[in-house]
Amino acid sequence: MFQPSPWRADFPAIAALQRQHQTYLDNAATTQKPQAVLDALSHYYGHGAANVHRAQHLPGALATQAFEDTRNKVAAWLNADPQQIIFTHGATSALNLLAYGLEQDFQAGDEIAVSALEHHANLLPWQQLARRRNARLVILPLDAHGRIDLEQALQLIGPRTRLLAVSQLSNVLGTWQPLPSLLAHARAQGALTVVDGAQGVVHGRHDLQQLECDFYVFSSHKLYGPDGVGVLYGRDRALQRLRHWQFGGEMVQIADYQASSFRPAPLGFEAGTPPIAGVIGLGATLEYLAKLDANAVAAHEASLHGYLLRGLSDREGIRVLGTPDTALASFVIEGVHNADIAHMLTEQGIAVRAGHHCAMPLLKRLDLDGAIRVSLALYNDSDDLQRFFDALDQGLELLR
Ligand code: PMP
């Protein structure tokens, strides 16, 4: 039965893509934007751009106010304090900020625990930090479903663990990770905890007072907002441990030729001109999302996800990786290379992702050189998935 999306018409790009005969199912990579975001960007640029936190003139004051309004909205979205919200250029830049800003805390022999399913953005900065400080990267193994194996993880996270960095929701396997137990255990061992919320933030509201991590990062562009903007949330005592990393602009308190002092968070970690329009656009996204019925969105996504998983399991020779909980499914097809499947889906206007999904070590661990990933957003409907399955069936007939 046809399942429409009540929010589809809010996203003008979906109709535009359809006119180009494109069905967009690569939402874990980036999402389309609601009209409200296009309007906010157009309003900012159309009514007078200005730099923030530095000009006394009216356009500067208005830009600063809109920019800081978004900080308040992000804080409200995550149940945090605005002073705990640092704007970055994306989840990757937030994680790099952490890996440099916390570097002084690490000594030879210290351990950093990450899981086997991390996106490169939550692996490479820690790997490089470990190399700089002679620390050791400990890899937490997964269970058969594609979740961090709690029993083993609790054994591997011990008194030498200085930091635990894990994804909330896997961008390859679509599995929620067992964060409450993991974070509580790491905290009890005295470790700092970092949660990569790049995928998790898109599906459901997450209360950071309940999640109790020290740091949480996400990118605006996956949450229906503009690209070039990320968020780094930090608990107060964790932010106090963060050293300033990038220098210049309004992050300075007093500058002199030989020495300078710097502002605390958040402005002290926002060196240079921030992505002003993008931040304002993120504010519009959150305003848009806050008006939606969260239960209806969750039910819609769950229903489409069920349709996707059933369609995949109904077809012979398809193996879904792990046991996806939500939002996406990655799969391989017996006897057919993922690049060939991707090629034939592309030919038929189906936009899905193929390859290693920026998680090369995970794919290697699964003994694969790639997989196809279909990922959903709130504007997708069951026809999008039907077009995908029709294209898949047609293509497989030719390839097999
Ligand atoms: N972590 C995860 C789980 C992701 O899926 C992504 C984006 N694919 C990132 C981090 C990095 O996000 P960005 O490229 O926006 O910095």
Side-chain angles (χ1 to χ4, degrees):
M1 200 176 68
F2 174 59
Q3 189 193 329
S5 161
W7 310 285
R8 198 170 174 90
D10 299 341
F11 292 78
I14 295 297
L17 283 164
Q18 237 167 333
R19 287 193 294 277
Q20 300 164 66
H21 307 289
Q22 295 296 311
T23 298
Y24 191 75
L25 291 166
D26 192 15
N27 297 288
T30 199
T31 49
Q32 307 306 325
K33 318 305 170 196
Q35 184 64 45
V37 170
L38 308 189
D39 291 345
L41 294 176
S42 163
H43 184 272
Y44 169 67
Y45 284 127
H47 285 73
N51 217 322
V52 289
H53 299 129
R54 52 201 86 193
Q56 78 297 342
H57 49 65
L58 180 69
L62 291 176
T64 302
Q65 192 185 345
F67 186 89
E68 290 302 319
D69 269 358
T70 299
R71 200 186 305 277
N72 294 336
K73 285 177 190 151
V74 173
W77 189 258
L78 300 174
N79 192 17
D81 188 288
Q83 297 309 306
Q84 300 172 319
I85 303 298
I86 296 168
F87 289 118
T88 69
H89 296 278
T92 303
S93 84
L95 290 161
N96 276 280
L97 190 165
L98 287 178
Y100 279 96
L102 296 171
E103 177 164 345
Q104 304 286 338
D105 277 10
F106 289 82
Q107 291 170 0
D110 283 346
E111 293 181 353
I112 301 170
V114 299
S115 86
L117 55 68
E118 296 310 314
H119 187 281
H120 296 159
N122 197 31
L123 169 65
L124 306 187
W126 307 119
Q127 185 188 81
Q128 294 304 306
L129 167 61
R131 292 172 81 108
R132 292 196 298 277
R133 304 301 282 186
N134 263 326
R136 206 165 75 84
L137 208 59
V138 173
I139 310 299
L140 308 175
L142 309 179
D143 65 17
H145 297 288
R147 295 191 193 91
I148 297 168
D149 184 319
L150 249 188
E151 210 174 302
Q152 293 194 60
L154 298 188
Q155 303 235 319
L156 288 166
I157 299 168
R160 307 195 75 157
T161 312
R162 301 282 294 153
L163 184 134
L164 166 72
V166 283
S167 285
Q168 186 178 23
L169 175 65
S170 164
N171 68 309
V172 181
L173 305 172
T175 43
W176 292 108
Q177 299 309 311
L179 292 187
S181 315
L182 266 182
L183 298 179
H185 178 73
R187 228 180 7 257
Q189 301 293 326
L192 277 171
T193 55
V194 178
V195 172
D196 173 356
Q199 297 294 336
V201 77
V202 189
H203 304 284
R205 289 280 291 262
H206 306 288
D207 181 330
L208 295 191
Q209 300 312 310
Q210 277 183 15
L211 193 58
E212 287 195 274
C213 52
D214 289 306
F215 295 104
Y216 184 87
V217 308
F218 72 88
S219 287
S220 149
H221 70 93
K222 293 188 199 277
L223 186 62
Y224 311 107
D227 44 34
V229 181
V231 166
L232 166 60
Y233 153 89
R235 199 167 280 279
D236 293 344
R237 70 179 160 78
L239 284 175
Q240 279 155 17
R241 287 169 69 170
L242 205 56
R243 306 284 167 105
H244 291 91
W245 175 44
Q246 290 185 320
F247 301 89
E250 293 298 307
M251 55 78 65
V252 80
Q253 204 138 37
I254 296 173
D256 208 340
Y257 287 115
Q258 301 299 338
S260 302
S261 61
F262 309 110
R263 287 175 150 177
L267 293 190
F269 295 91
E270 295 176 0
T273 297
I276 301 165
V279 166
I280 293 171
L282 171 60
T285 312
L286 294 179
E287 209 169 292
Y288 168 78
L289 291 174
K291 284 191 207 134
L292 305 185
D293 174 348
N295 291 331
V297 172
H300 176 71
E301 289 188 352
S303 160
L304 282 188
H305 193 241
Y307 187 98
L308 170 62
L309 293 184
R310 280 194 303 280
L312 290 172
S313 77
D314 282 351
R315 284 164 173 79
E316 225 172 281
I318 294 189
R319 177 161 67 90
V320 173
L321 310 188
T323 311
D325 296 311
T326 190
L328 61 88
S330 296
F331 63 93
V332 290
I333 303 182
E334 214 177 287
V336 191
H337 196 272
N338 73 86
D340 294 331
I341 304 164
H343 179 72
M344 104 222 165
L345 289 172
T346 302
E347 293 274 288
Q348 298 183 73
I350 308 294
V352 297
R353 180 83 179 272
H356 54 64
H357 311 291
C358 295
M360 258 191 232
L362 170 63
L363 271 288
K364 209 189 271 178
R365 201 166 259 208
L366 296 172
D367 214 9
L368 296 171
D369 66 351
I372 304 285
R373 181 185 67 190
V374 176
S375 53
L376 304 165
L378 53 79
Y379 42 68
N380 286 123
D381 60 23
S382 55
D383 276 359
D384 290 337
L385 286 175
Q386 198 49 56
R387 279 195 290 279
F388 156 71
F389 282 123
D390 290 346
L392 187 67
D393 291 340
Q394 256 186 43
L396 284 180
E397 230 166 77
L398 293 174
L399 286 172
R400 270 178 171 159

